[in-house]
Structure formats: C-alpha cells, structure tokens
C-alpha cells in the first residue's frame, strides 16, 4: 500500500498538466517522502492532454494515467481514479490548481490531530470566478442543504483528503448519478472542514458549462432528496384553494346578476395549470430518467488505456496489470469496469 494517492480528473487540461504535476509532486514529497502516487484521469479530452500524461508517466514512476474511452463527466472520471488508486490516504483535487496542492501538509496534519476520516475543503473565497457562478453556487449549496435529509456541507467541493476506509465505503455505493461530495457526507465517520481560499484557474477555462452544471445540480438534488416529488401535492393543495376562491366568486357573480368576462381569466387559469403540470412532470422525469439508467446497470465508465507502473491493486488493478504485461504495446483495449 502506498501512503498517499492524489487523484485528479482532467478534461481538456493540457495547459495545466505540467504545472499541476510539478506542484503536486513537490507537495507530496514534502508530506510523505517518496511513498505516494499521482493518478491522472483523462476524461476523453479533445486536446493534447493524453500525450502529455503519457510522457509524464514515462518520466515519473509516481504517476499513473488512465484514459477513459470518452468524456464520462467529472464525477465518473473521479470514480475511475478512485477505483484505481491504492493509497492509504487519498487526496482529491481538480486539475486547474484552483485548490492549492500546498494545503496537503496542513490537511494531513488536521487529519492526524482530529483522528478524522475525511478532511474536506470549504471555500472561504473564490477568486477569478464569474459573479454568475458564485451566485448560482451560493444558492445551490443552500437549497441543497434545505432539501436534503443528510448534512451536505455548504460551499465544499470535491477537494478533500480521505482515509482508506472512507474511500472503500464510497466505492461500495453503486449509483450511476454520482454526486460525490454528497455521497461522502452520507458515509459518516469523523469529517472535519478545512477552510481555504480558492485560487483562480491556472490556465484554460471552466469545463463546467451551464448544461453540465444543471445536470450536476439535479444529480445532487435527486440523489439526496425526494422533496421535489412531493411538489405535486403542494401545488395540488394550492390550486384547490385557488379553485375554491374562483367557485365562490362565480357563485357571487351569478347571485348578483353580473356577467363574467371570459378570455383573460380563462387564459390565466389554463396557462398556470399547464405550467404547474409540466413542471411537476419534469421533476418526475428527472427521477424516472435516473431510475432508468440505474436499472440498466451499465458500467460507470470504460477504460481505454492505462499508462504508468503495473502491479496495481484496487478494483482496476488487474486491468492495469494486464495492460502493463501486454506484449502488444500500443494496442488499445476496451475493458468495461463495474
Ligand atoms: N472535469 C472532468 N470532466 C468533465 C468536466 C470537468 O474531468 O467533463 C474536470 C476538470 O478537468 C477539472 C475538474 O473536473 O479538473 C473541475 O472542473 P472545472 O475546474 O472546469 O470546474 P469549476 O472549477 O469551473 O467548477
Ligand atoms: Mg476549476
């Protein structure tokens, strides 16, 4: 077993990789000497990330790189890396150096001192992010905290240090729609926050466009709360109350001999009803879609190639070993991993 694994999902991060590797290596060496590994996951990048990772893995025996068959998304790429890593302690970090690797040493210290299984980074400030991103993130974490039954820490990302037993618990969770920071909170054990200031991206731009952000938010919400499913009953009650008022109004109008004008009020009712029904249906659709993908039970990700040292343990270990021993170097294999 290795003392420390650093797991980094990367999507189109060619501009960050060299600096990332240098800073991670320095931080790891300072904390644990040479007993560490860096696991980079190439999440179907379209730029030159993979060739750079291959080269780095040839130059540095501490580095192992995993090439996924296509872009599977941040959370699944991270899962692949966590499956492969074999460290006793595991640091999860983004490739863009927004989370400073130098915090590894103080985080290890906190873990030791507090006898914690998880030390999770909490963003005190966020540099270089758009006001829109900051505002939506702020609102999202608070909405989530209200909607969910478990305590998912507010303003915490995936930047965290975990113990092996916490990681094993995480890897035993089979969901396809993964919201890892929530899943870690669900595990329990002793988890302590670690305040830090989030830096700007070292290079490149965010790999989370609005579409991915929304999907991520819905994964979080549907994964940890059934509150949206109860919206229909709330709306139902509200609309019943509204319809009662309308009936009373109509009776009153008849009794006093007024004539009621139709179009405007009718349109209003039709539009409101339509919107509410569609909204509730859409919410149910979000759950149904996730239920469907879970029922299909496909592998979480497909590994195409592994570069770096053989002799792996972990769930991906055999695959890595087989690839390292392969006498057909360069042959790309497709291996589904459950
Ligand atoms: N990422 C990934 N697959 C994706 C999108 C992002 O592996 O489909 C990685 C990305 O390379 C980075 C991390 O996930 O290491 C977080 O992404 P990013 O920094 O773009 O998100 P932000 O910090 O803007 O929320
Ligand atoms: Mg980032």
């Amino acid at each position: 077993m290795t003392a420390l694994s650093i797991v980094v999902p990367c999507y189109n991060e060619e501009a960050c990789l060299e600096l990332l590797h240098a800073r991670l290596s320095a931080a790891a060496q300072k904390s644990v000497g040479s007993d560490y590994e860096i696991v980079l996951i190439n999440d179907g990048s379209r730029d030159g990330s993979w060739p750079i990772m291959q080269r780095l893995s040839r130059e540095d025996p501490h580095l192992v790189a995993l090439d996924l068959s296509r872009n599977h998304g941040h959370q699944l790429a991270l899962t692949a890396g966590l499956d492969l890593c074999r460290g006793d302690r595991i640091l999860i970090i983004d490739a863009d150096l927004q989370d400073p690797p130098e915090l590894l040493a103080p985080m290890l210290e906190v873990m030791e001192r507090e006898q914690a299984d998880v030390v999770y980074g909490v963003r005190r400030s966020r540099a270089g992010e758009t006001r829109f991103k900051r505002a939506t993130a702020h609102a999202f974490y608070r909405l989530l905290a209200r909607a969910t039954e478990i305590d998912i820490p507010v303003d915490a990302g995936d930047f965290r240090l975990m113990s092996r037993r916490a990681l094993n618990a995480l890897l035993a969770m089979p969901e396809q729609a993964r919201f890892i920071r929530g899943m870690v909170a669900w595990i329990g054990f002793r988890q302590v926050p670690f305040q830090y200031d989030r830096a700007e991206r070292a290079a490149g731009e965010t790999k989370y466009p609005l579409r991915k952000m929304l999907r991520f938010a819905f994964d979080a919400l549907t994964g940890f709360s059934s509150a949206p499913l109860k919206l229909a009953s709330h709306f139902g009650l509200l609309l019943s109350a509204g319809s009662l008022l309308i009936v009373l109004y109509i009776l009153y109008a008849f009794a006093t001999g007024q004539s009621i004008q139709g179009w405007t009020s009718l349109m209003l009712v039709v539009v409101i009803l339509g919107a509410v029904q569609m909204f509730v249906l859409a919410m149910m659709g979000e759950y149904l879609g996730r239920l469907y993908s879970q029922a299909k039970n496909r592998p979480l990700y497909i590994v195409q190639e592994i570069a770096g040292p053989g002799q792996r343990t972990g769930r991906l270990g055999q695959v890595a070993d087989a690839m390292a021993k392969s006498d057909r170097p360069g042959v790309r294999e497709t291996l589904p991993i459950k």
Side-chain angles (χ1 to χ4, degrees):
M1 200 151 229
T2 316
L4 175 76
S5 296
I6 304 179
V7 181
V8 198
C10 311
Y11 177 54
N12 294 345
E13 301 284 9
E14 61 180 2
C16 294
L17 287 175
E18 304 265 355
L19 184 61
L20 173 76
H21 176 240
R23 279 179 64 184
L24 285 181
S25 305
Q29 260 153 28
K30 201 176 130 208
S31 302
V32 295
S34 67
D35 195 14
Y36 70 93
E37 64 172 2
I38 297 175
V39 180
L40 300 182
I41 306 96
N42 177 34
D43 187 16
S45 300
R46 290 166 203 280
D47 65 358
S49 295
W50 179 243
I52 299 177
M53 287 184 194
Q54 282 178 308
R55 176 170 55 75
L56 288 174
S57 77
R58 277 195 298 272
E59 290 165 7
D60 178 5
H62 291 290
L63 191 140
V64 46
L66 201 59
D67 193 25
L68 300 188
S69 60
R70 62 171 170 82
N71 179 254
H72 282 74
H74 178 201
Q75 302 287 296
L76 291 179
L78 185 53
T79 305
L82 294 173
D83 272 340
L84 179 77
C85 79
R86 53 181 173 175
D88 199 26
R89 290 177 173 179
I90 300 94
L91 179 75
I92 301 175
I93 192 167
D94 283 353
D96 57 2
L97 293 165
Q98 280 193 285
D99 314 313
E102 294 70 28
L103 296 179
L104 172 63
M107 283 169 98
L108 277 166
E109 234 174 75
V110 171
M111 184 172 247
E112 201 62 46
R113 178 159 32 93
E114 305 262 344
Q115 290 291 300
D117 278 277
V118 178
V119 178
Y120 59 91
V122 174
R123 298 150 182 180
R124 198 160 36 201
S125 69
R126 295 163 155 252
E129 289 186 307
T130 59
R131 183 172 296 188
F132 176 74
K133 174 102 183 185
R134 284 205 303 263
T136 47
H138 187 88
F140 165 67
Y141 285 116
R142 274 143 195 90
L143 171 74
L144 195 63
R146 295 196 65 167
T148 54
E149 290 103 43
I150 57 159
D151 278 336
I152 299 176
V154 164
D155 297 328
D158 285 326
F159 180 46
R160 61 189 61 220
L161 189 64
M162 294 174 75
S163 69
R164 175 47 66 175
R165 73 167 180 173
L167 179 64
N168 286 344
L170 174 70
L171 293 179
M173 297 163 86
E175 47 257 71
Q176 305 258 335
R178 296 175 94 74
F179 179 64
I180 289 177
R181 54 202 74 168
M183 293 163 70
V184 172
W186 182 91
I187 292 169
F189 296 136
R190 187 163 163 68
Q191 311 206 1
V192 275
F194 183 92
Q195 303 268 343
Y196 74 106
D197 297 301
R198 200 157 203 233
E200 265 180 70
R201 232 180 193 281
E205 54 197 40
T206 177
K207 306 301 177 313
Y208 261 98
L210 189 61
R211 182 177 47 84
K212 277 189 182 168
M213 254 162 68
L214 280 176
R215 169 109 166 271
F216 186 62
F218 271 113
D219 278 346
L221 209 59
T222 53
F224 290 91
S225 168
S226 52
L229 285 177
K230 295 171 195 140
L231 276 177
S233 52
H234 297 306
F235 279 129
L237 273 176
L238 211 69
L239 290 177
S240 313
S243 62
L244 196 68
L245 287 180
I246 293 177
V247 169
L248 287 177
Y249 171 67
I250 293 171
L251 286 178
Y252 172 77
F254 271 134
T256 54
Q258 298 169 27
S259 71
I260 302 174
Q261 293 295 313
W263 200 85
T264 318
S265 47
L266 249 175
M267 265 329 259
L268 197 71
V269 170
V270 169
V271 165
I272 291 180
L273 265 183
V276 166
Q277 282 174 346
M278 286 302 157
F279 184 72
V280 167
L281 263 183
M283 281 296 156
M284 292 171 73
E286 294 291 338
Y287 284 86
L288 191 62
R290 283 167 178 82
L291 203 59
Y292 177 52
S293 86
Q294 192 69 39
K296 281 186 289 188
N297 199 19
R298 292 196 179 145
L300 296 179
Y301 51 84
I302 307 274
V303 178
Q304 167 165 284
E305 208 173 332
I306 300 181
Q311 295 298 314
R312 314 289 311 173
T313 52
R315 283 207 285 186
L316 273 178
Q318 288 166 333
V319 178
D321 280 348
M323 285 183 169
K325 285 191 202 120
S326 167
D327 54 3
R328 298 178 297 160
V331 173
R332 303 196 140 202
E333 298 184 50
T334 307
L335 291 150
I337 311 297
K338 279 254 170 181

